[in-house]
Amino acid sequence: QSALTQPASVSGSPGQSITISCTGTSNDVGAYDFVSWYQHHPGKAPKLIIYDVSDRPSGVSIRFSGSKSGNTASLTISGLQSEDEADYYCSSYASGNTLYVFGTGTKVTVL
Amino acid sequence: QVQLQESGPGLVKPSQTLSLTCTVSGGSITSGGYHWGWIRQLPGKGLEWIGYIYSSGNTYYNPSLKSRLTISLDTSKDQFVLRLSSVTAADTALYYCARRPLGMHYFFDYWGQGILVTVSS
């Protein structure tokens, strides 16, 4: 199972909106509404911010939103803040025995 | 609030067995409702699901690692253990333990901070 493709880096100014793409195949992202997104500040535990494509866990800011079209899922961060500077990973349930496939990761920089 | 913490040696020799423990606090691994698992990040690469275990002892492993992998529970200590045998330099990675809710849920809602394991002589 190949990793999901994400841009290596995305940047934006405070207050702006950015979108991170996550491209898979018809065996993972395109086949199931089980895409999740994780925020990772290095040295800390990764944090779940989106599950089932667009649902937010309790306590996660409404500035984070998710969507999907075909084989590509997207994470949008609105009203970018300095604390959003982190690495972001997508993940999807996948057909076959591997069950999970993760993205290559995107480093978000707040300018 | 559930917390997970990995522990174990940071350096393992090639051909030996890598053994890591995840200690769960703020909840019991025997209470049901969750799988307890491991995920790793290989250097310069993305994340890779390793496998997980339910409180019943049922396990689910990544097929690419299955022949070398054992995940077990120590319910008396609210811990679960990863053992990966015959390691090589390709197993050098940042290892995370994480929790997955049961049912039609394919995500991990709590993670540990991770532990770096280097395979080298």
Side-chain angles (χ1 to χ4, degrees):
Chain A
Q1 208 89 25
S2 298
L4 306 176
T5 301
Q6 298 179 232
S9 62
V10 173
S11 62
S13 299
Q16 285 186 331
S17 293
I18 60 170
T19 296
I20 303 168
S21 61
C22 169
T23 301
T25 70
S26 57
N27 293 320
D28 38 64
V29 175
Y32 306 99
D33 287 336
F34 295 130
V35 176
S36 53
W37 289 89
Y38 303 88
Q39 178 191 60
H40 184 217
H41 291 101
K44 295 192 175 182
K47 177 184 177 182
L48 175 70
I49 55 173
I50 294 287
Y51 66 95
D52 295 352
V53 175
S54 59
D55 290 340
R56 272 186 312 275
S58 174
V60 172
S61 173
I62 60 172
R63 298 186 299 105
F64 294 95
S65 61
S67 62
K68 190 187 88 166
S69 177
N71 294 339
T72 298
S74 298
L75 172 72
T76 297
I77 308 175
S78 306
L80 200 60
Q81 299 179 1
S82 59
E83 58 260 38
D84 299 333
E85 191 161 286
D87 297 320
Y88 292 82
Y89 294 89
C90 61
S91 177
S92 174
Y93 179 76
S95 59
N97 293 328
T98 303
L99 293 188
Y100 298 90
V101 60
F102 287 90
T104 50
T106 298
K107 182 176 181 58
V108 168
T109 301
V110 180
L111 301 172
Chain B
Q1 171 111 350
V2 173
Q3 292 186 311
L4 292 83
Q5 180 67 57
E6 306 87 351
S7 60
L11 180 64
V12 181
K13 289 181 168 37
S15 80
Q16 292 190 340
T17 296
L18 180 162
S19 182
L20 296 175
T21 298
C22 182
T23 301
V24 178
S25 58
S28 171
I29 62 174
T30 58
S31 61
Y34 302 98
H35 282 118
W36 303 94
W38 294 92
I39 296 157
R40 68 181 182 179
Q41 182 167 24
L42 303 167
K45 298 186 179 180
L47 297 162
E48 179 182 45
W49 173 68
I50 296 172
Y52 46 52
I53 187 167
Y54 184 55
S55 55
S56 64
N58 288 347
T59 53
Y60 304 83
Y61 295 156
N62 186 322
S64 68
L65 299 169
K66 186 174 182 178
S67 64
R68 301 190 289 130
L69 181 61
T70 302
I71 298 176
S72 60
L73 297 171
D74 185 340
T75 56
S76 65
K77 297 179 182 178
D78 274 326
Q79 294 176 334
F80 57 103
V81 177
L82 164 72
R83 290 190 173 86
L84 186 65
S85 63
S86 305
V87 297
T88 69
D91 294 308
T92 293
L94 184 58
Y95 286 77
Y96 296 97
C97 58
R99 186 183 84 167
R100 179 221 160 197
L102 278 184
M104 294 297 283
H105 301 293
Y106 296 97
F107 57 84
F108 299 89
D109 59 354
Y110 287 98
W111 298 58
Q113 290 186 321
I115 184 169
L116 178 63
V117 178
T118 301
V119 179
S120 174
S121 56

